[in-house]
Amino acid sequence: MAITKRATTSSFSTKFLSVVPGFRTGYYWKKIIATIWYLILFLAIVTSWSAGTFFDKVLATFDTTILFVLPTIITTNFMDIQNQIPFLATKKLYRKLPGFLLAIVIWILMYSAFTSIATPLYSHEYLESKTQNN
């Protein structure tokens, strides 16, 4: 019975890592870069929780997600996302490049919109701690 559990765990971890960007191909240099990037993402999220209420921390997590995680998902083609976005679904570089530029513009607009909507929702304590850190 213990052997079955090990096989299932190994199979799950193998399947899980086969979809995680940086670990899909098995190249060590990609794993190292991905691990460093995931640590940076984790630290960015955790350090955004420095002060404020629980709601401030939720907003800061969304902020960090839009800023860092969404571009990571698109550029690494996580879960074949590029084929789900019409202007990135092509294999031809001369068509894909304008698609990436459009994705960057949409990302900047989305981040700007979130920031302008979310800023008044942060607590006074959180905003004060952010201005003191800058």
Side-chain angles (χ1 to χ4, degrees):
M1 186 161 198
I3 295 172
T4 307
K5 283 187 178 182
R6 277 193 181 152
T8 305
T9 305
S10 175
S11 176
F12 172 76
S13 64
T14 303
K15 287 180 183 178
F16 178 74
L17 288 177
S18 72
V19 297
V20 175
F23 292 85
R24 296 178 290 201
T25 60
Y27 292 116
Y28 286 112
W29 67 272
K30 288 184 178 183
K31 290 179 183 181
I32 291 168
I33 291 171
T35 302
I36 292 168
W37 181 246
Y38 296 141
L39 285 172
I40 291 170
L41 289 177
F42 177 75
L43 289 173
I45 290 171
V46 171
T47 57
S48 70
W49 298 340
S50 60
T53 65
F54 175 76
F55 187 67
D56 292 331
K57 294 173 184 178
V58 170
L59 286 174
T61 301
F62 277 116
D63 187 351
T64 306
T65 300
I66 293 170
L67 186 61
F68 294 112
V69 177
L70 287 180
T72 301
I73 289 171
I74 292 173
T75 56
T76 61
N77 199 20
F78 179 64
M79 302 289 288
D80 203 29
I81 190 80
Q82 291 178 11
N83 283 331
Q84 309 304 318
I85 303 171
F87 51 85
L88 294 177
T90 183
K91 297 286 183 197
K92 297 178 181 175
L93 184 62
Y94 69 92
R95 288 188 180 166
K96 195 170 233 172
L97 189 59
F100 271 111
L101 293 175
L102 182 60
I104 290 169
V105 169
I106 291 170
W107 168 64
I108 290 170
L109 290 173
M110 201 165 107
Y111 182 70
S112 299
F114 176 81
T115 303
S116 64
I117 291 168
T119 299
L121 301 175
Y122 284 110
S123 70
H124 180 69
E125 174 188 285
Y126 182 82
L127 292 173
E128 203 172 89
S129 72
K130 287 296 178 188
T131 54
Q132 287 175 357
N133 290 340
N134 292 334

